[in-house]
Every structure is written in C-alpha cells, then in structure tokens.
Amino acid sequence: MGSHTRNVLTVKAIAASKAAKLRDGGGLWLVAKGASRYWILDFTFRGKRRQMGLGVYPDTSLAKARDRAAEARQLVRDGVDPIEQRKAENAPPRDVMTFGNYADFYIDEAVRVGRWRGAKTEARWRNMIENHAASLRDKPIADVAIDHVLAAIRPLWGSKQETAEKLREAIERVLDSAKVEGHRSGENPAAWRGNLEHVLHKPDALTSKGHHASMPHEEVPGFMKKLTNVAGVGARALEFAILTAVRSGEVRGALWSEIDLQKKIWSIPAARTKPGKPHRVPLSDKAVALLKTMAAQSVNELVFPSVRDKKPLSDMTLGKALKSAGGEGATVHGFRSSFRDWATEVAHTPREIAEAALAHAVGDAVERSYARSDALERRRALMQQWADYI
C-alpha cells in the first residue's frame, strides 16, 4: 500500500493549503474538485489500482476519513474489494427482491442523485408506488407480469386517466431499472408501445378532471382558419402556442429578448419552463410572420402584452379565444397532445424528436443524447411540417 508515513495532515494544514491534492499517507488523499474537496483512497486490489471515494470534506472529518481508510485497508488485507463491498451493502437484498423494495430503492436513488426537480415529484412517486401500485408491492420483481400491471392500472383507466398514465410510466421505469441491475429479464410488461396499447385504449377527448381534453389533429386545420378571424392578442397567443406546441404559460410570458427572428429561434430560459431546462423552439415561417405582426404593434417587452400594464395575459384570455373560434370541449394545453398524435400518426416522427419538440424529459441514454443536441434541425423540419399541415 506504500504506507511509509501515515497521518501526515492536520486540520490546520488543510485549512491553510490551496493545493489540489494533499497526502495523508497510506493511500489517503484530500483532492480538490471545483469548489469542493473530498477524500479518496488509492489502493491496489489483485494487481489492479483502484480509487475509492470516502466522503466530502469537512462533512467527513480528517479523523473519520482515516477510520474509513483503515477499514478499507483491512478489507483489502482480507482479500475483499472495499468498493464492491460498499456496493453490496448499499444495494437492496437480492434474494427475494420485491417490487415494493426495489421501487423504494429506485425513488431513494433518484432523490440522492437529484434526478427530480422539487419535492413534489418525489411525493407523487411515493404515493403512486405506495397506494396505486399496492397490489404489486409484495410480488417478487422478477415475476411481475402483464396481468399484475393491468390489475394496478385498470381501476384508474378512463376515470383518473392522468394518474393511470403516470402510474404505468412509473411501473415501466422501475421495471426497466430492475432489469438493468439484473433483478429481472425479458420484455417490460408495463411498456405501452406494441404491448399495453393493444389492451388499454386511450379514451378520446378526455374531459375527466385533471386531464387536458385535446382536439383530434384532423380538426386543428379547420379550427386554425376560424381562429385567424378572431381579433385580439389572446387569439394570436393561442395561434402561436398551437404553432409551436409550447405550454400556454411559456407563450404568455414570452419576451422579445428571447426571440431571434434572423435565426428563427425562440430560446425559452430554464426559469420559465416546466422541466426547468432551457428549451429552444425552431420557428416555422407562419410563426415568424405572426411575430412580425406582433412586433409592429409592440408596446413593451412582452410579445403578447395584456391590457394591464406589463402583466402577461391570463390563461383565461387564451381560453376565451379558443371558445370564440368554436373550440368548446378542447383545452389550450390539449393542443400539445394534438401535435403529439399528429407527429406519430401523420409525420411518423421518431419518438425522441417529438418528445424533444414538447420539451419532455426523455428516457434512455440514446434519447437523452438527442435531447442534449436537442436535434434542432430535425425539429425545425417537423415544426414547419406541422405549420403547413394546420
């Protein structure tokens, strides 16, 4: 282990030093990365050099780091890899891993790594797994099959549609994760495509509370014609929301500083989006023309100003425009679903591009890499196609 001198450091020496790496001896180092400093232990196990993190300083004190290093060195002497040992201790038990155990572990991990924005998501997941997926909790995760998944989802399907869809997605994610970690194998019984979509049919325009009723995409072109004849800023904002498939609040708060008419891009900052990530919207020719009309009558920094000075339009204003153009029974937010259905059924858009267009958080690594590059040019073609269609 190369441990000639140990316990070289003192708390004072650590405070006084700005060095990127401080040696305590016996393979224990305090390393600076960014604004934080953390302990690592260098060791050799079966001829391989390994490095193990022992905690962030000062939360993990010098004394604590030395204790942890000593425990790890002892394991190495006993022929045990301390990194593998720690993984095994933190992982849920493998023998009879139930769906409930694993789902709890999945949620804890999501919270630990900060996967979710805000405590609301965590609370919603815990509630879903605890209550709506109660029938699955005690099943060994390796044995969860389609009939078990359906038993959990069916009671909510059609009556509490949004909850049902979120529950299905949560179950699918938990089972996917369990498969990656070797707790189960085979197809995912909670998958929608090519699987549950054949048994559970999505109710049409959902008017049940909490779900946004959407207009079938075939009716949107006719509706847009009527909407162009409705006067007022609210009608223009609704038109723009439909053309861009963006959430109503993001349209109502749109500022001229976010729009680049030259490049035909609207850049919505993270603070104004629901997922809390910046979203770039490629603007179709029709959307650009609409913005030029608005620019000609611009009174302040808001693209769609309300009569009340410097206050964004209210959601009701867009709702009013929707009714004036004969869109009863549909909701403003529902047009995002109309766009999503059209993208799949008519444009045959790959899922990850359609989801990126809606600024939805996407799933696996392939989709996330699309989201990172945000596939702007492919989305530009899609938004132009949508504008031409409607």
Side-chain angles (χ1 to χ4, degrees):
M1 299 227 82
S3 50
H4 309 304
T5 42
R6 284 218 188 131
N7 302 355
V8 177
L9 290 173
T10 61
V11 175
K12 268 195 180 142
I14 292 173
S17 173
K18 292 268 181 281
K21 224 177 162 192
L22 293 175
R23 178 178 167 276
D24 188 51
L28 180 62
W29 297 84
L30 182 63
V31 182
K33 199 169 196 183
S36 8
R37 303 164 102 185
Y38 57 97
W39 297 104
I40 56 166
L41 179 68
D42 275 328
F43 64 96
T44 307
F45 187 76
R46 299 200 173 138
K48 262 197 180 154
R49 290 224 25 216
R50 312 271 335 243
Q51 211 174 57
M52 178 180 187
L54 298 179
V56 178
Y57 184 79
D59 301 347
T60 302
S61 66
L62 174 59
K64 186 91 177 170
R66 283 174 179 162
D67 288 347
R68 287 179 182 170
E71 282 167 23
R73 292 187 199 107
Q74 185 56 52
L75 285 169
V76 172
R77 284 195 289 276
D78 296 342
V80 176
D81 180 343
I83 295 178
E84 290 307 316
Q85 169 82 4
R86 180 163 67 189
K87 273 192 194 156
E89 281 169 7
N90 290 344
R94 251 174 201 279
D95 41 0
V96 251
M97 169 65 69
T98 65
F99 178 85
N101 290 138
Y102 187 81
D104 294 342
F105 168 72
Y106 177 91
I107 296 171
D108 293 342
E109 276 299 283
V111 172
R112 190 179 69 78
V113 302
R115 184 183 305 151
W116 292 324
R117 182 177 174 224
K120 263 184 168 165
T121 311
E122 180 194 347
R124 193 184 75 224
W125 268 75
R126 293 209 189 273
N127 176 46
M128 275 195 298
I129 297 298
E130 199 60 50
N131 301 320
H132 300 311
S135 60
L136 290 172
R137 281 198 71 91
D138 295 336
K139 300 244 175 324
I141 197 153
D143 303 341
V144 172
I146 288 190
D147 49 345
H148 304 134
V149 175
L150 284 172
I153 297 172
R154 272 210 167 112
L156 302 165
W157 200 263
S159 58
K160 291 187 175 165
Q161 188 60 22
E162 196 166 6
T163 308
E165 289 181 27
K166 287 200 162 130
L167 175 64
R168 183 206 63 74
E169 202 177 316
I171 296 171
E172 181 180 20
R173 286 199 187 164
V174 169
L175 295 178
D176 270 344
S177 176
K179 181 178 174 177
V180 171
E181 294 201 38
H183 296 293
R184 55 177 290 123
S185 56
E187 295 297 310
N188 190 324
W192 177 253
R193 285 212 149 166
N195 183 44
L196 293 182
E197 65 177 342
H198 299 305
V199 213
L200 295 169
H201 301 289
K202 282 208 180 183
D204 289 333
L206 291 163
T207 41
S208 57
K209 186 162 167 29
H211 201 91
H212 303 287
S214 63
M215 186 178 285
H217 64 78
E218 303 85 352
E219 291 173 24
V220 180
F223 171 79
M224 284 299 264
K225 275 204 185 70
K226 291 185 197 153
L227 182 60
T228 45
N229 295 322
V230 177
V233 178
R236 300 299 73 80
L238 176 56
E239 212 178 320
F240 190 67
I242 297 170
L243 282 165
T244 53
V246 165
R247 295 176 178 91
S248 155
E250 292 155 9
V251 169
R252 290 182 286 114
L255 302 172
W256 284 114
S257 56
E258 298 167 356
I259 287 171
D260 184 333
L261 285 173
Q262 264 8 81
K263 292 186 176 151
K264 299 185 176 178
I265 287 178
W266 171 25
S267 305
I268 313 174
R272 290 213 313 104
T273 70
K274 190 180 170 193
K277 293 192 172 68
H279 180 44
R280 297 197 303 163
V281 185
L283 300 167
S284 60
D285 298 342
K286 181 75 178 117
V288 169
L290 194 152
L291 287 173
K292 286 182 174 159
T293 312
M294 293 311 298
Q297 54 191 58
S298 164
V299 290
N300 57 30
E301 67 273 23
L302 286 164
V303 177
F304 300 102
S306 74
V307 273
R308 294 175 306 154
D309 192 37
K310 302 210 172 169
K311 285 268 200 318
L313 291 171
S314 75
D315 212 11
M316 307 252 298
T317 317
L318 273 67
K320 241 189 220 148
L322 174 68
K323 280 206 176 70
S324 306
E328 285 86 0
T331 60
V332 175
H333 193 88
F335 285 103
R336 283 167 57 82
S337 304
S338 315
F339 165 79
R340 187 67 184 81
D341 293 343
W342 166 85
T344 304
E345 293 163 22
V346 181
H348 303 299
T349 310
R351 173 172 177 262
E352 62 278 4
I353 296 290
E355 291 291 288
L358 290 168
H360 276 162
V362 281
D364 63 25
V366 182
E367 291 193 13
R368 281 198 298 273
S369 72
Y370 264 110
R372 271 198 299 278
S373 66
D374 92 2
L376 194 71
E377 287 318 305
R378 293 183 67 180
R379 291 203 285 113
R380 183 177 290 289
L382 179 68
M383 298 323 286
Q384 186 57 52
Q385 211 181 328
W386 169 241
D388 295 343
Y389 173 81
I390 60 175

